[in-house]
Every structure is written in structure tokens, then in C-alpha cells.
Amino acid sequence: MTTVRFDRFLLDGAGRRLLRDGADVHLTPKAFELLQLLIDRRPAAVAKNAIMEALWPSTFVLEANVANLIAEIRVALGDDASRPRFVRTVPRFGYAFSGDVPASGGVPSVPRPDPRPAGLDSAPLRWPLLRLLRGLACFYFPLNPPS
């Protein structure tokens, strides 16, 4: 499995993670596999048929599925189809990874993500949420029920 750094991203093939500045970037499993395939075969373009066979072996799928995965990858990378920095479309053929990958083989170890959800440990968010829950509890479970 490959570990590749490009721009602000790190693709960790063994851990099946894409990181931007050390933070996890969500990709569906098939989108991750497609990004890894394009990076592994860079700078060559990969045919749509080869992509479909690699991602869905012995299964019939429409080319639109590949286009949807490419769109998901572009959103995750902040890429633009009209001015691609990472994934370029090869008209009537397929796609190619066009990002700059440094030639250095040494990639630093992958940082561990913070296990706490972002923003949920702060008091400004906690108190309004507790007030809302208390208000809902009073609405559904009144102290003096009607007779």
C-alpha cells in the first residue's frame, strides 16, 4: 500500500485514510480506491473501462458511477473540473492524477486524529443544548398534568 504526500494532503494506503493538514477527509471506500488507483498509475491516464474493472470486477456498472466518484474526489480535494489541480479528465478516455508528488521517499508518520468530536466539549454549545432538552422534557412530561 502506498503512502503519498501531495499539496496539503497525505494518502495513507495502508490505513485507508486521506488527510488534509493532518485532519481526516471523508471519502467513500470506492472513491478512496479510485484515488489510490489514479495516484498509483500517475502520470498515466487510466481508461474508464480499466477503472470499472478495477473497482467492480466482473460486474456491470455504468460510466456514470465513475463520474460520480470523480466528483466526490474533487469535492474532497477542493479541486475544480474546469481548472483541475489533482484529477484531470482525459476526454473520451478516462482520468489521470495530475497533482505534484514530491520525489522524496520518506513520508512522515501519519498523525493520530483527536478522538473527541470537534466542538462538543465547549461550554457555549453545551448549555443551550441542555436548556433545550430541559424545555422539551417539561413539554412532554409536565409537573402538573391536566386533570
Side-chain angles (χ1 to χ4, degrees), residues 117-134:
L120 291 182
D121 57 356
S122 63
L125 177 64
R126 184 173 42 234
W127 292 116
L129 183 60
L130 289 174
R131 284 190 198 113
L132 174 67
L133 290 174
R134 186 175 54 200

Side-chain angles (χ1 to χ4, degrees), residues 10 14-15 64 75-76 82 87 93 113 120 131 135 139 146:
L10 178 74
V75 167
S82 61
V87 179
F93 181 74
L120 291 182
R131 284 190 198 113
F139 177 74

Side-chain angles (χ1 to χ4, degrees), residues 2-140:
T2 57
T3 300
V4 178
R5 182 176 297 281
F6 58 96
D7 197 51
R8 299 169 35 204
F9 296 93
L10 178 74
L11 179 86
D12 176 18
R16 297 188 57 82
R17 295 170 61 194
L18 176 66
L19 304 169
R20 180 189 312 119
D21 297 328
D24 280 302
V25 176
H26 174 73
L27 278 178
T28 60
K30 290 290 184 193
F32 184 89
E33 289 176 35
L34 177 53
L35 179 59
Q36 189 168 25
L37 175 71
L38 294 175
I39 288 175
D40 288 345
R41 295 194 185 174
R42 74 184 183 281
V46 183
K48 292 176 191 174
N49 290 337
I51 292 170
M52 291 188 293
E53 186 58 36
L55 297 180
W56 297 280
S58 304
T59 305
F60 175 77
V61 293
L62 298 173
E63 285 185 9
N65 291 322
V66 176
N68 289 337
L69 293 177
I70 291 293
E72 179 183 343
I73 291 169
R74 284 180 171 148
V75 167
L77 298 177
D79 205 2
D80 182 11
S82 61
R83 284 182 273 157
R85 293 180 6 196
F86 302 113
V87 179
R88 116 183 121 79
T89 302
V90 181
R92 299 175 196 220
F93 181 74
Y95 300 93
F97 184 80
S98 58
D100 292 329
V101 177
S104 66
V107 175
S109 63
V110 178
R112 291 279 182 217
D114 188 359
R116 297 172 301 184
L120 291 182
D121 57 356
S122 63
L125 177 64
R126 184 173 42 234
W127 292 116
L129 183 60
L130 289 174
R131 284 190 198 113
L132 174 67
L133 290 174
R134 186 175 54 200
L136 289 175
C138 291
F139 177 74
Y140 285 108

